[in-house]
Amino acid sequence: MRVRILLEGQVFILQTLHASHQGIVQTNALARSCVWWSDLDKDVEQIVQQCEICQATCHAPPKALNHPLECTKQPWTRLYVGFAGLDQGQVFFVVVG
Ligand SMILES: [Zn+2]
């Protein structure tokens, strides 16, 4: 097993990149956008794998992104369709335009 010794500056950079606990993929993407050294990917992977916070959340499903809808310019361009509650044994099919 090969032991890597990081420079003090590399440790600081890794800790800074990892401060938001984004996991291996996101932290590597951020790292590649601003720094480089050989085995940077492995160093990021190692720091994330040793982090309890990242390990506790790495299997959580990703958060859904908000996709705000743009306003339509004409009526009935976009329809919302669904079923509304059970009222006295009836379910209503609702269409909103
Ligand atoms: Zn972490």
Side-chain angles (χ1 to χ4, degrees), residues 18 20-23 47-48 51-55:
H18 176 244
S20 57
H21 302 283
Q22 297 290 311
I47 195 170
V48 171
C51 173
E52 291 181 17
I53 295 171
C54 285
Q55 293 311 304

Side-chain angles (χ1 to χ4, degrees), residues 7-88:
L7 300 174
E8 188 175 328
Q10 290 173 313
V11 172
F12 175 77
I13 290 170
L14 286 172
Q15 289 172 341
T16 303
L17 293 169
H18 176 244
S20 57
H21 302 283
Q22 297 290 311
I24 293 172
V25 174
Q26 293 293 328
T27 306
N28 258 332
L30 178 61
R32 288 185 203 132
S33 72
C34 57
V35 294
W36 182 90
W37 63 78
S38 64
D39 292 334
L40 173 61
D41 289 357
K42 291 178 185 174
D43 295 337
V44 168
E45 187 176 324
Q46 185 176 11
I47 195 170
V48 171
Q49 286 178 339
Q50 292 173 347
C51 173
E52 291 181 17
I53 295 171
C54 285
Q55 293 311 304
T57 59
C58 71
H59 297 295
K63 292 180 181 177
L65 299 175
N66 286 331
H67 297 282
L69 296 174
E70 295 178 21
C71 291
T72 59
K73 295 185 170 64
Q74 297 177 349
W76 296 97
T77 304
R78 181 180 300 135
L79 300 177
Y80 298 91
V81 179
F83 293 97
L86 180 63
D87 184 33
Q88 298 177 352

